[in-house]
Amino acid sequence: MLPYDMFDATRTTAEARRAQKLESIYHRGQELAWNGREVLGALIAKHGGVHVPEGKREALSRIFSILMWGELAAWKISAQLADALVPLEAKMAATSQAFDEARHFYVFHDYLCALGPVPPAPDRHSQAAIALVLGTRSLAEKLLGMQLLLEPMALTIFHIVRHLGVEPVLSELLEYYERDEARHVGLGVQELPELLRAMRPDERARLLLFQLRILTHVLMSLKANDPALRALGVSAREVLDLGTAKQDHAARLLFTELGIEPTLGGEILRRTLGAACAVAFPNGDEGFSTRMKRAVEILRHGLTVASVPLTEVQ
Ligand SMILES: [Fe+2]
Ligand SMILES: [Fe+2]
């Protein structure tokens, strides 16, 4: 059934402003759409092929297996959103995202084929995080999981790999990805306030639990992939710190839209995860007692997070 009454409700000024921003996500997506075959082909020609130092090839393939399959998940999830969201402008934004994610998936696939065999399935925790967002029927959970938790993590790895300069074709390619992914965060920021306001307290509690489950899988995945990350020149801890800062940036954008301060439940979740990370992900060669002290400090006073943009790519 089509929602024939979709234009019946009158909008508040704030709702109308958000709808306008969502509509512009779609139009910006059209203007900035890039031809994946042409861009990848030109970059490979410019750099004379894909060249990775032998010690880093397997690690790169392992990390980008998560990202390539993550792009397929993002494609499916944005198509689910494009189908399920009712307001015209939100539907347009999700549809434009599905178009971007299709390009992201096939370009990563083609790039990774140039690097070696097509990567196998990612580690089980990455699979579990993806399955949670794909499988939920709640639109709020889907938007929060995809747009505000997984997109900032992908932006983090793109940023780091680009700056490490692991492989020149990839470094230039990732600029295109970052520009698109930062736009996708906007769909969550603009569409979630309406959904959050309509939620009952028990639904909000479930949303918090959902967030905790995803973040736990992301942390376990980082731990499992620490050796591959180190082979590329970065530790899981560094990825985690930047990832937390980017997720924090997205969350602040959302809270500004909502016009409220972060909730108590959210703050407890943040402190608990922050403390667990201080213990599980040592900074350099920190000993156990230093890590425990840091964890207690986070539990008592909160987590201090650096202020970073979603992307520095214009
Ligand atoms: Fe993507
Ligand atoms: Fe995306």
Coordinates of all heavy atoms in Angstrom, one line a residue, residues 156-244:
T156 N 36.8 6.4 9.9 CA 38.0 6.4 10.7 C 39.1 5.6 9.9 O 40.2 6.0 9.8 CB 37.7 5.8 12.0 OG1 36.7 6.6 12.7 CG2 39.0 5.6 12.9
I157 N 38.7 4.4 9.5 CA 39.7 3.5 8.8 C 40.1 4.1 7.5 O 41.3 4.1 7.2 CB 39.2 2.1 8.7 CG1 38.9 1.5 10.1 CG2 40.2 1.2 8.0 CD1 38.5 0.1 10.2
F158 N 39.2 4.7 6.8 CA 39.6 5.3 5.5 C 40.6 6.4 5.8 O 41.6 6.5 5.1 CB 38.3 6.0 4.8 CG 37.3 5.0 4.3 CD1 36.0 5.4 4.1 CD2 37.6 3.6 4.2 CE1 35.0 4.5 3.6 CE2 36.7 2.7 3.7 CZ 35.4 3.1 3.5
H159 N 40.3 7.3 6.8 CA 41.2 8.4 7.1 C 42.6 7.9 7.5 O 43.6 8.4 7.0 CB 40.6 9.1 8.3 CG 41.5 10.2 8.9 ND1 41.4 11.5 8.6 CD2 42.6 10.1 9.7 CE1 42.3 12.2 9.2 NE2 43.0 11.4 9.9
I160 N 42.6 6.8 8.3 CA 43.9 6.3 8.8 C 44.7 5.7 7.6 O 45.9 6.0 7.5 CB 43.7 5.3 10.0 CG1 43.3 6.1 11.2 CG2 45.0 4.5 10.2 CD1 42.9 5.3 12.4
V161 N 44.1 4.8 6.8 CA 44.8 4.2 5.8 C 45.3 5.2 4.7 O 46.4 5.1 4.2 CB 43.9 3.1 5.1 CG1 44.5 2.5 3.8 CG2 43.6 2.0 6.1
R162 N 44.5 6.2 4.5 CA 44.9 7.3 3.6 C 46.1 8.0 4.1 O 47.1 8.2 3.3 CB 43.7 8.2 3.4 CG 43.7 9.1 2.3 CD 42.3 9.7 2.0 NE 41.7 10.4 3.1 CZ 42.1 11.6 3.5 NH1 43.0 12.3 2.9 NH2 41.5 12.2 4.5
H163 N 46.1 8.3 5.4 CA 47.3 9.0 5.9 C 48.5 8.2 6.0 O 49.6 8.7 6.0 CB 46.9 9.7 7.2 CG 46.1 10.9 7.1 ND1 46.7 12.2 7.0 CD2 44.8 11.1 6.8 CE1 45.8 13.1 6.8 NE2 44.6 12.5 6.7
L164 N 48.3 6.8 6.2 CA 49.5 5.9 6.3 C 50.2 5.8 4.9 O 51.3 5.4 4.8 CB 49.1 4.6 6.8 CG 48.8 4.4 8.3 CD1 48.2 3.1 8.6 CD2 50.0 4.6 9.2
G165 N 49.4 6.1 3.9 CA 49.9 6.0 2.5 C 50.4 4.6 2.2 O 51.4 4.3 1.6
V166 N 49.5 3.6 2.6 CA 49.9 2.2 2.4 C 50.0 1.9 0.9 O 50.9 1.2 0.5 CB 48.8 1.3 3.0 CG1 49.1 -0.2 2.8 CG2 48.7 1.5 4.5
E167 N 49.1 2.4 0.1 CA 49.1 2.1 -1.3 C 48.5 3.4 -2.0 O 47.4 3.8 -1.7 CB 48.2 0.9 -1.6 CG 48.5 0.2 -2.9 CD 47.9 0.9 -4.1 OE1 46.7 1.3 -4.0 OE2 48.6 1.2 -5.0
P168 N 49.3 4.0 -3.0 CA 48.9 5.3 -3.6 C 47.5 5.3 -4.2 O 46.8 6.3 -4.1 CB 50.0 5.6 -4.6 CG 50.9 4.4 -4.6 CD 50.6 3.5 -3.5
V169 N 47.1 4.2 -5.0 CA 45.8 4.2 -5.6 C 44.7 4.3 -4.6 O 43.8 5.1 -4.7 CB 45.6 2.9 -6.5 CG1 44.2 2.8 -7.0 CG2 46.6 2.9 -7.6
L170 N 44.9 3.5 -3.5 CA 43.9 3.4 -2.5 C 43.8 4.8 -1.7 O 42.7 5.2 -1.5 CB 44.2 2.3 -1.5 CG 43.2 2.0 -0.4 CD1 41.9 1.6 -1.0 CD2 43.7 0.9 0.5
S171 N 44.9 5.4 -1.5 CA 44.9 6.7 -0.7 C 44.1 7.7 -1.5 O 43.3 8.4 -0.9 CB 46.3 7.2 -0.6 OG 47.0 6.4 0.3
E172 N 44.2 7.7 -2.8 CA 43.5 8.7 -3.6 C 42.0 8.3 -3.7 O 41.1 9.2 -3.6 CB 44.1 8.9 -5.0 CG 45.4 9.7 -4.9 CD 45.8 10.3 -6.2 OE1 45.0 10.8 -7.0 OE2 47.0 10.1 -6.6
L173 N 41.8 7.0 -3.8 CA 40.4 6.5 -4.0 C 39.6 6.8 -2.7 O 38.4 7.2 -2.8 CB 40.5 5.0 -4.2 CG 39.2 4.3 -4.6 CD1 38.7 4.8 -5.9 CD2 39.5 2.8 -4.7
L174 N 40.2 6.7 -1.6 CA 39.5 6.8 -0.3 C 38.9 8.3 -0.1 O 38.0 8.4 0.7 CB 40.3 6.4 0.9 CG 40.6 4.9 0.9 CD1 41.5 4.5 2.1 CD2 39.3 4.1 1.1
E175 N 39.5 9.2 -0.7 CA 39.0 10.6 -0.6 C 37.6 10.6 -1.2 O 36.7 11.3 -0.6 CB 39.9 11.6 -1.4 CG 41.2 11.8 -0.8 CD 41.9 13.0 -1.4 OE1 41.3 13.8 -2.1 OE2 43.1 13.1 -1.2
Y176 N 37.3 9.9 -2.3 CA 36.0 9.9 -2.8 C 35.0 9.2 -1.9 O 33.9 9.7 -1.7 CB 36.0 9.1 -4.2 CG 36.7 9.8 -5.3 CD1 38.1 9.7 -5.4 CD2 36.0 10.6 -6.2 CE1 38.7 10.3 -6.5 CE2 36.7 11.2 -7.3 CZ 38.0 11.1 -7.4 OH 38.7 11.7 -8.4
Y177 N 35.5 8.2 -1.2 CA 34.6 7.4 -0.3 C 34.3 8.3 0.9 O 33.1 8.4 1.4 CB 35.3 6.2 0.3 CG 35.3 5.0 -0.7 CD1 35.9 5.0 -1.9 CD2 34.5 3.9 -0.3 CE1 35.8 3.9 -2.8 CE2 34.4 2.8 -1.2 CZ 35.1 2.8 -2.4 OH 35.0 1.7 -3.3
E178 N 35.3 9.0 1.5 CA 35.1 9.8 2.7 C 34.0 10.9 2.4 O 33.2 11.2 3.3 CB 36.4 10.5 3.2 CG 37.2 9.5 3.9 CD 38.4 10.1 4.6 OE1 38.3 11.2 5.2 OE2 39.5 9.6 4.5
R179 N 34.1 11.5 1.3 CA 33.2 12.6 0.9 C 31.7 12.0 1.0 O 30.8 12.7 1.5 CB 33.5 13.1 -0.5 CG 33.2 14.6 -0.6 CD 33.7 15.1 -2.0 NE 35.1 15.4 -2.0 CZ 36.0 14.8 -2.8 NH1 35.6 13.9 -3.7 NH2 37.3 15.2 -2.8
D180 N 31.5 10.9 0.4 CA 30.2 10.3 0.3 C 29.7 9.8 1.7 O 28.6 10.1 2.1 CB 30.2 9.0 -0.6 CG 30.4 9.3 -2.1 OD1 30.3 10.5 -2.4 OD2 30.7 8.4 -2.8
E181 N 30.6 9.2 2.5 CA 30.2 8.6 3.8 C 29.8 9.7 4.7 O 28.9 9.6 5.5 CB 31.3 7.7 4.4 CG 31.8 6.6 3.6 CD 30.9 5.5 3.2 OE1 29.6 5.7 3.3 OE2 31.3 4.5 2.6
A182 N 30.5 10.9 4.7 CA 30.2 12.0 5.6 C 28.8 12.5 5.3 O 28.1 12.8 6.2 CB 31.2 13.1 5.4
R183 N 28.4 12.5 4.0 CA 27.1 12.9 3.6 C 26.0 11.9 4.2 O 24.9 12.3 4.6 CB 27.0 12.9 2.1 CG 25.9 13.8 1.6 CD 26.1 14.1 0.1 NE 26.2 12.9 -0.7 CZ 27.3 12.6 -1.4 NH1 28.4 13.4 -1.4 NH2 27.4 11.4 -2.1
H184 N 26.4 10.6 4.2 CA 25.4 9.6 4.7 C 25.1 9.8 6.2 O 24.0 9.5 6.6 CB 25.9 8.2 4.5 CG 26.2 7.9 3.0 ND1 27.0 6.9 2.6 CD2 25.8 8.6 1.9 CE1 27.0 6.9 1.2 NE2 26.3 8.0 0.8
V185 N 26.1 10.2 7.0 CA 25.8 10.5 8.4 C 24.7 11.4 8.6 O 23.8 11.3 9.5 CB 27.1 11.0 9.1 CG1 26.8 11.4 10.6 CG2 28.2 9.9 9.0
G186 N 24.6 12.4 7.6 CA 23.5 13.4 7.7 C 22.1 12.9 7.7 O 21.2 13.4 8.3
L187 N 21.9 11.7 7.0 CA 20.6 11.1 7.0 C 20.2 10.7 8.4 O 19.0 11.0 8.8 CB 20.6 9.9 6.0 CG 19.3 9.0 6.1 CD1 18.0 9.7 5.8 CD2 19.5 7.8 5.1
G188 N 21.1 10.1 9.1 CA 20.8 9.7 10.5 C 20.5 10.9 11.4 O 19.6 11.0 12.2
V189 N 21.4 11.9 11.2 CA 21.3 13.1 12.1 C 19.9 13.8 11.9 O 19.3 14.3 12.8 CB 22.5 14.1 11.8 CG1 22.3 15.4 12.5 CG2 23.8 13.5 12.2
Q190 N 19.5 13.9 10.6 CA 18.3 14.6 10.3 C 17.0 13.8 10.5 O 15.9 14.3 10.8 CB 18.3 15.1 8.8 CG 19.4 16.0 8.5 CD 19.5 17.2 9.5 OE1 18.5 17.8 9.9 NE2 20.8 17.7 9.7
E191 N 17.1 12.5 10.4 CA 15.9 11.7 10.4 C 15.6 11.1 11.8 O 14.5 10.9 12.2 CB 15.9 10.6 9.4 CG 14.7 9.8 9.1 CD 13.4 10.6 8.8 OE1 13.5 11.8 8.4 OE2 12.3 10.1 9.1
L192 N 16.7 10.9 12.6 CA 16.5 10.2 13.9 C 15.7 11.1 14.9 O 14.9 10.5 15.7 CB 17.9 9.9 14.5 CG 18.3 8.4 14.3 CD1 19.8 8.3 14.7 CD2 17.5 7.4 15.1
P193 N 15.8 12.4 15.0 CA 15.1 13.1 16.0 C 13.6 12.8 16.0 O 13.0 12.6 17.0 CB 15.4 14.6 15.6 CG 16.7 14.6 15.0 CD 16.8 13.3 14.2
E194 N 13.0 12.8 14.8 CA 11.5 12.5 14.7 C 11.2 11.1 15.3 O 10.3 11.0 16.1 CB 11.1 12.4 13.2 CG 10.2 13.5 12.8 CD 10.7 14.9 13.0 OE1 11.7 15.4 12.4 OE2 10.1 15.6 13.8
L195 N 12.1 10.1 15.0 CA 11.8 8.8 15.5 C 12.1 8.7 17.0 O 11.3 8.0 17.7 CB 12.8 7.8 14.7 CG 12.5 7.7 13.2 CD1 13.6 6.9 12.5 CD2 11.2 7.1 12.9
L196 N 13.1 9.3 17.4 CA 13.5 9.3 18.9 C 12.4 9.9 19.7 O 12.0 9.4 20.8 CB 14.8 10.0 19.2 CG 16.0 9.3 18.6 CD1 17.3 10.1 18.9 CD2 16.2 7.9 19.1
R197 N 11.8 11.0 19.2 CA 10.8 11.7 20.0 C 9.5 10.8 20.1 O 8.8 10.9 21.2 CB 10.4 13.0 19.3 CG 11.4 14.1 19.6 CD 10.8 15.4 19.5 NE 11.9 16.4 19.7 CZ 12.5 16.9 18.6 NH1 12.2 16.6 17.4 NH2 13.5 17.8 18.8
A198 N 9.3 10.0 19.1 CA 8.0 9.2 19.2 C 8.2 7.9 20.0 O 7.3 7.1 20.1 CB 7.6 8.8 17.7
M199 N 9.4 7.6 20.5 CA 9.7 6.4 21.2 C 9.2 6.3 22.6 O 9.3 7.3 23.3 CB 11.2 6.1 21.1 CG 11.7 5.5 19.8 SD 13.4 5.3 19.9 CE 13.6 3.6 19.6
R200 N 8.7 5.1 23.0 CA 8.4 4.9 24.4 C 9.7 4.7 25.2 O 10.7 4.3 24.6 CB 7.5 3.7 24.6 CG 6.1 3.8 23.9 CD 5.3 2.6 24.3 NE 6.0 1.3 24.1 CZ 5.9 0.6 23.0 NH1 5.1 1.0 22.0 NH2 6.6 -0.5 22.9
P201 N 9.6 4.9 26.6 CA 10.8 4.6 27.4 C 11.4 3.3 27.2 O 12.6 3.1 27.1 CB 10.4 4.8 28.8 CG 9.2 5.7 28.7 CD 8.5 5.4 27.4
D202 N 10.6 2.2 27.1 CA 11.1 0.8 26.9 C 11.8 0.7 25.6 O 12.8 0.0 25.4 CB 10.0 -0.2 27.1 CG 8.9 -0.1 26.0 OD1 8.4 1.0 25.9 OD2 8.6 -1.1 25.4
E203 N 11.3 1.4 24.5 CA 11.9 1.4 23.2 C 13.3 2.1 23.3 O 14.2 1.6 22.6 CB 11.0 2.0 22.2 CG 9.8 1.2 21.9 CD 8.8 2.0 20.9 OE1 8.7 3.2 21.1 OE2 8.2 1.3 20.1
R204 N 13.3 3.2 24.0 CA 14.6 3.9 24.2 C 15.7 3.0 24.9 O 16.8 3.0 24.5 CB 14.4 5.2 24.9 CG 13.7 6.2 24.1 CD 13.7 7.5 24.8 NE 12.6 8.3 24.0 CZ 12.3 9.5 24.3 NH1 12.8 10.1 25.4 NH2 11.4 10.1 23.6
A205 N 15.2 2.3 25.9 CA 16.1 1.4 26.6 C 16.6 0.3 25.7 O 17.8 -0.1 25.7 CB 15.4 0.8 27.8
R206 N 15.7 -0.2 24.8 CA 16.2 -1.3 23.9 C 17.2 -0.7 22.9 O 18.1 -1.4 22.5 CB 14.9 -1.8 23.1 CG 14.5 -3.1 23.7 CD 13.8 -4.0 22.6 NE 12.8 -3.3 21.9 CZ 11.5 -3.2 22.3 NH1 11.1 -3.7 23.4 NH2 10.6 -2.6 21.5
L207 N 17.0 0.6 22.5 CA 17.9 1.2 21.5 C 19.3 1.3 22.1 O 20.3 1.1 21.5 CB 17.4 2.6 21.2 CG 18.1 3.4 20.1 CD1 18.0 2.7 18.7 CD2 17.6 4.8 20.0
L208 N 19.3 1.6 23.4 CA 20.6 1.8 24.1 C 21.3 0.4 24.2 O 22.5 0.3 24.0 CB 20.3 2.3 25.6 CG 21.4 3.1 26.2 CD1 21.8 4.3 25.4 CD2 21.0 3.4 27.7
L209 N 20.5 -0.6 24.4 CA 21.1 -2.0 24.5 C 21.6 -2.4 23.1 O 22.7 -3.0 23.0 CB 20.0 -3.0 24.9 CG 20.4 -4.3 25.3 CD1 21.3 -4.3 26.6 CD2 19.2 -5.3 25.6
F210 N 20.9 -2.0 22.1 CA 21.3 -2.3 20.7 C 22.6 -1.7 20.4 O 23.5 -2.3 19.8 CB 20.2 -1.8 19.8 CG 20.4 -2.0 18.3 CD1 20.2 -3.2 17.7 CD2 20.9 -0.9 17.5 CE1 20.4 -3.4 16.3 CE2 21.1 -1.1 16.2 CZ 20.9 -2.3 15.6
Q211 N 22.7 -0.4 20.8 CA 24.0 0.4 20.6 C 25.1 -0.4 21.3 O 26.2 -0.5 20.8 CB 23.7 1.7 21.3 CG 24.5 2.8 20.7 CD 24.1 4.1 21.4 OE1 23.0 4.3 21.9 NE2 25.0 5.1 21.4
L212 N 24.9 -0.8 22.6 CA 25.9 -1.5 23.3 C 26.4 -2.8 22.6 O 27.6 -3.1 22.5 CB 25.4 -1.9 24.7 CG 26.3 -2.7 25.6 CD1 27.5 -1.9 26.0 CD2 25.5 -3.1 26.9
R213 N 25.4 -3.5 22.1 CA 25.7 -4.8 21.4 C 26.6 -4.5 20.1 O 27.6 -5.2 19.9 CB 24.5 -5.5 21.0 CG 23.7 -6.1 22.2 CD 22.4 -6.7 21.7 NE 22.5 -7.9 21.0 CZ 21.5 -8.4 20.2 NH1 20.3 -7.7 20.2 NH2 21.7 -9.5 19.6
I214 N 26.2 -3.5 19.4 CA 27.0 -3.2 18.2 C 28.4 -2.8 18.6 O 29.4 -3.2 18.0 CB 26.4 -2.1 17.3 CG1 25.1 -2.6 16.8 CG2 27.3 -1.6 16.2 CD1 24.4 -1.6 15.8
L215 N 28.5 -1.8 19.5 CA 29.8 -1.3 19.9 C 30.7 -2.4 20.5 O 31.9 -2.5 20.2 CB 29.7 -0.2 20.9 CG 29.1 1.1 20.3 CD1 28.8 2.1 21.4 CD2 30.1 1.7 19.3
T216 N 30.1 -3.4 21.2 CA 30.9 -4.5 21.7 C 31.5 -5.3 20.6 O 32.7 -5.7 20.6 CB 30.0 -5.4 22.6 OG1 29.4 -4.6 23.6 CG2 30.8 -6.5 23.3
H217 N 30.7 -5.6 19.6 CA 31.2 -6.3 18.4 C 32.3 -5.5 17.7 O 33.3 -6.1 17.2 CB 30.1 -6.7 17.4 CG 29.2 -7.8 17.9 ND1 29.7 -9.1 18.2 CD2 27.9 -7.9 18.2 CE1 28.7 -9.8 18.7 NE2 27.6 -9.2 18.6
V218 N 32.1 -4.2 17.6 CA 33.1 -3.4 16.9 C 34.4 -3.5 17.7 O 35.5 -3.7 17.1 CB 32.7 -1.9 16.8 CG1 33.8 -1.0 16.4 CG2 31.5 -1.8 15.8
L219 N 34.4 -3.5 19.0 CA 35.6 -3.5 19.8 C 36.3 -4.9 19.7 O 37.5 -5.0 19.6 CB 35.2 -3.3 21.3 CG 34.7 -1.9 21.7 CD1 34.4 -1.8 23.1 CD2 35.8 -0.9 21.4
M220 N 35.4 -6.0 19.7 CA 36.0 -7.3 19.6 C 36.7 -7.5 18.2 O 37.7 -8.1 18.1 CB 34.9 -8.4 19.8 CG 34.1 -8.3 21.0 SD 35.0 -8.9 22.4 CE 34.4 -10.5 22.5
S221 N 36.0 -6.9 17.2 CA 36.6 -7.0 15.9 C 37.9 -6.2 15.8 O 38.9 -6.7 15.2 CB 35.6 -6.4 14.9 OG 36.2 -6.1 13.7
L222 N 38.0 -5.1 16.4 CA 39.3 -4.3 16.4 C 40.4 -5.1 17.1 O 41.5 -5.2 16.7 CB 39.1 -3.0 17.2 CG 38.5 -1.9 16.4 CD1 38.3 -0.6 17.3 CD2 39.4 -1.5 15.2
K223 N 40.0 -5.8 18.2 CA 40.9 -6.6 19.0 C 41.4 -7.7 18.1 O 42.6 -8.0 18.0 CB 40.2 -7.2 20.2 CG 41.2 -7.7 21.3 CD 41.8 -6.6 22.1 CE 42.9 -7.1 23.0 NZ 43.8 -6.1 23.4
A224 N 40.5 -8.4 17.4 CA 40.9 -9.5 16.5 C 41.7 -9.1 15.4 O 42.6 -9.9 14.9 CB 39.6 -10.2 16.0
N225 N 41.5 -7.9 14.9 CA 42.3 -7.4 13.7 C 43.5 -6.6 14.1 O 44.1 -6.0 13.2 CB 41.4 -6.6 12.8 CG 40.4 -7.5 12.1 OD1 40.8 -8.4 11.3 ND2 39.1 -7.5 12.4
D226 N 43.9 -6.5 15.4 CA 45.0 -5.7 15.8 C 46.3 -6.1 15.1 O 47.0 -5.2 14.6 CB 45.2 -5.8 17.3 CG 46.2 -4.8 17.9 OD1 46.2 -3.7 17.3 OD2 46.9 -5.1 18.8
P227 N 46.6 -7.4 14.9 CA 47.8 -7.7 14.2 C 47.9 -7.2 12.8 O 48.9 -6.7 12.3 CB 47.9 -9.3 14.2 CG 47.0 -9.7 15.3 CD 45.9 -8.6 15.4
A228 N 46.7 -7.3 12.1 CA 46.7 -6.8 10.7 C 46.8 -5.3 10.7 O 47.5 -4.7 9.8 CB 45.4 -7.2 10.0
L229 N 46.2 -4.6 11.6 CA 46.3 -3.1 11.7 C 47.8 -2.7 12.0 O 48.3 -1.8 11.4 CB 45.4 -2.6 12.8 CG 43.9 -2.7 12.5 CD1 43.1 -2.4 13.7 CD2 43.5 -1.7 11.4
R230 N 48.4 -3.5 12.9 CA 49.8 -3.2 13.2 C 50.7 -3.4 12.0 O 51.7 -2.6 11.8 CB 50.3 -4.0 14.4 CG 49.8 -3.5 15.7 CD 50.3 -4.2 16.9 NE 49.6 -3.8 18.1 CZ 49.9 -2.8 18.8 NH1 51.0 -2.0 18.5 NH2 49.2 -2.5 19.9
A231 N 50.4 -4.4 11.2 CA 51.2 -4.6 10.0 C 51.1 -3.4 9.0 O 52.0 -3.1 8.3 CB 50.7 -5.9 9.3
L232 N 49.9 -2.7 9.1 CA 49.8 -1.6 8.2 C 50.4 -0.3 8.9 O 50.5 0.7 8.2 CB 48.3 -1.3 8.0 CG 47.5 -2.4 7.2 CD1 46.1 -2.0 7.0 CD2 48.2 -2.6 5.8
G233 N 50.7 -0.4 10.2 CA 51.3 0.8 10.8 C 50.5 1.5 11.8 O 50.8 2.7 12.2
V234 N 49.4 0.9 12.3 CA 48.5 1.6 13.3 C 48.1 0.5 14.3 O 48.0 -0.7 14.0 CB 47.4 2.3 12.6 CG1 46.4 1.3 11.9 CG2 46.6 3.2 13.5
S235 N 47.8 0.9 15.5 CA 47.3 0.0 16.5 C 45.8 0.1 16.6 O 45.2 1.1 16.3 CB 47.9 0.3 17.9 OG 47.4 1.5 18.4
A236 N 45.2 -1.0 17.1 CA 43.7 -1.0 17.3 C 43.3 0.1 18.2 O 42.3 0.8 18.1 CB 43.3 -2.3 17.9
R237 N 44.2 0.4 19.2 CA 43.9 1.5 20.2 C 43.8 2.9 19.5 O 42.9 3.7 19.7 CB 45.0 1.5 21.2 CG 45.0 2.7 22.2 CD 43.6 2.7 22.9 NE 43.4 3.9 23.6 CZ 43.5 4.0 25.0 NH1 43.7 3.0 25.7 NH2 43.3 5.2 25.5
E238 N 44.7 3.1 18.5 CA 44.6 4.4 17.8 C 43.4 4.5 16.9 O 42.7 5.5 16.8 CB 45.9 4.5 16.9 CG 47.2 4.8 17.7 CD 48.4 4.6 16.8 OE1 48.8 3.5 16.6 OE2 49.0 5.6 16.4
V239 N 43.0 3.3 16.3 CA 41.8 3.3 15.5 C 40.6 3.6 16.4 O 39.7 4.4 16.1 CB 41.6 1.9 14.8 CG1 40.2 1.9 14.1 CG2 42.7 1.6 13.9
L240 N 40.6 3.0 17.6 CA 39.5 3.1 18.6 C 39.4 4.6 19.0 O 38.3 5.1 19.1 CB 39.8 2.2 19.8 CG 38.8 2.3 20.9 CD1 37.4 1.8 20.4 CD2 39.3 1.4 22.0
D241 N 40.5 5.2 19.3 CA 40.4 6.6 19.8 C 39.9 7.6 18.7 O 39.0 8.4 19.0 CB 41.8 7.1 20.2 CG 42.3 6.5 21.5 OD1 41.4 6.0 22.2 OD2 43.5 6.6 21.8
L242 N 40.3 7.4 17.5 CA 39.8 8.3 16.4 C 38.3 7.9 16.1 O 37.5 8.8 15.9 CB 40.7 8.2 15.1 CG 40.3 9.1 14.0 CD1 40.4 10.6 14.5 CD2 41.1 8.9 12.8
G243 N 38.0 6.6 16.1 CA 36.6 6.1 15.9 C 35.7 6.7 16.9 O 34.6 7.2 16.6
T244 N 36.1 6.7 18.2 CA 35.3 7.2 19.2 C 35.0 8.7 19.0 O 33.9 9.2 19.2 CB 35.9 7.0 20.6 OG1 36.2 5.6 20.7 CG2 35.0 7.4 21.8

